[in-house]
Amino acid sequence: MFGTMLDAGVLRPAAVEVLRRNDLGTVTTAAPDLYPHQWSWDAAFVSIGLARVDVRRAITELRSLLSAQWSTGMIPHIVFSPGAGDYFPGPDRWGTDDVTAKPAGVRTSGICQPPVHAIALRHILERGRENGGADLDAAEAFVAETLDGWLAWHRWLAEARDPDGVGLVEIHHSWESGFDNSPRWDAPYARITPGEVPAFVRRDTLHVGSSAERPTDEEYTRYLWLVEQMRSVGYDDARMPGTVDFRVRDVFFSGVLAAAAEVLAGIAAELGRARDAAEQRAMAARFRAGVAATVDPVTGLARDYDVHAQEWIGPLTAAGFAPLVAGGDPDLLPRQRAILLGDDWMGHPALRFPLPPSTSPVSPGFRRRTYWRGPVWPFLNLLLGWCSARDSAWELRSVLRDASLEQLGDLTFAEYYEPITGEPLGSHSQAWTAAAALEWLG
């Protein structure tokens, strides 16, 4: 059992040192070699960890991200750091420099990632209130100053990505989900025949122990084809649905939006913004209902929906627990927790730690060393732990916390971990993994 003062005394400074080394001053790179820029949902989790040690630096992290927000309200999934290390695909490949919605002087990708930012905003506010003094003043001022930006982000998702009001966010690239090569996307990608894709040289496979840990070149060609399609219409929200070959209603993304909208509603209410609070509560209810409506009666897991094929997507992945993220359903949530703690997931006897793999070990798509097809992701465990605390599911939270701290005690702060052996995989010194350790330590 992790939790002794000696363990915390080793883990905490090691995690702080990772964040220090990845710090470029106003942004924290996701990882020093493989990911030398700022990623959207990484930044949110990084700010949660930073708030445990430096509230004002956590504020700077989110402020920097928000400065790249497009005029539409979208927060791009990558904000490129000038002069940072080589990364592919870089800003030239995305071709967003001439997009009028993008703020001038900032280089970004043209897609988004799950909207966990309001959850991070709440963490910063809570740490500021705990500390008092200058931290309290800075946190409250930041929240008041940026509320409209976070509201615009949620509104863009609800309007541009769910125009029919079904309570599910439509994504146009698996990179938007954050679960890049998950079995969730096998069927939608199998139906895509890429057109002409300019030649490319990948960089990601140079920074891992084996290329088998990463998506294949065939998968990457499809990824880049979608970028070409979106670029061809200038990332125009109105034109993309009729252009892109990948249109999926992402249940996990939608669960995150439901949770974040509820949090933002509470913040708006504290600021006396009653109308905005009511709007966000309604948004949370809409996406909670959308998520709940996807649950497969056989597996008990939530499912994505392929718009082009007009069919459900239901492999056994961690995204199936989107209702636990969305919250709010007193009947559904206990059933989902029982599944998560059961033998197909956290209770599987072969696991090194009782932590949820990204794909169930009993799934035919389970590949224990390959990115989102099996490995355990520390930041995802932190998100599930936060949701468990929110809903007073203390048994689940306790298991997640203790096992996470034991896993992170190897001090590699890996991007993801092999679920059976516990071996660290992917990029090491990953910022959001270090941040997760700091938040678990509290």
Side-chain angles (χ1 to χ4, degrees), residues 403-441:
S404 291
L405 288 172
E406 188 176 359
Q407 179 189 63
L408 298 174
D410 71 351
L411 304 184
T412 64
F413 302 102
E415 185 179 5
Y416 44 92
Y417 287 79
E418 210 273 20
I420 309 301
T421 66
E423 177 188 353
L425 298 174
S427 178
H428 292 194
S429 297
Q430 195 82 11
W432 63 357
T433 304
L438 290 171
E439 178 60 19
W440 280 126
L441 288 170

Side-chain angles (χ1 to χ4, degrees), residues 150-161:
W150 308 119
L151 289 168
W153 167 220
H154 285 192
R155 288 167 183 155
W156 177 79
L157 288 169
E159 295 164 9
R161 295 302 187 89

Side-chain angles (χ1 to χ4, degrees), residues 14 58 113 174-175 177 185 196 269 276 289 291 314 350 355 363 384 389 398 421:
Q113 279 185 322
S174 64
W175 287 344
S177 73
W185 317 129
E196 184 176 348
D276 294 321
V291 168
L355 293 168
S363 167
L384 290 171
S398 178
T421 66

Side-chain angles (χ1 to χ4, degrees), residues 32-35 85-88 200-215 217 220 415-416 426-428:
D33 297 320
L34 179 53
Y35 305 110
D86 193 14
Y87 176 79
F88 181 83
F200 61 94
V201 177
R202 293 173 61 180
R203 307 291 300 174
D204 59 314
T205 53
L206 303 179
H207 299 285
V208 295
S210 168
S211 60
E213 296 178 25
R214 310 295 294 180
D217 284 350
Y220 233 83
E415 185 179 5
Y416 44 92
S427 178
H428 292 194

Side-chain angles (χ1 to χ4, degrees), residues 295-302 316-317 320-321 324 332-348 356 360 396:
V295 173
D296 186 332
V298 176
T299 67
L301 299 180
L316 303 179
T317 75
F321 297 101
L324 293 182
L332 175 58
L333 300 192
R335 296 199 301 272
Q336 281 239 310
R337 290 187 199 108
I339 296 170
L340 182 58
L341 288 165
D343 291 346
D344 289 352
W345 290 93
M346 292 168 62
H348 192 281
S360 171
L396 176 56

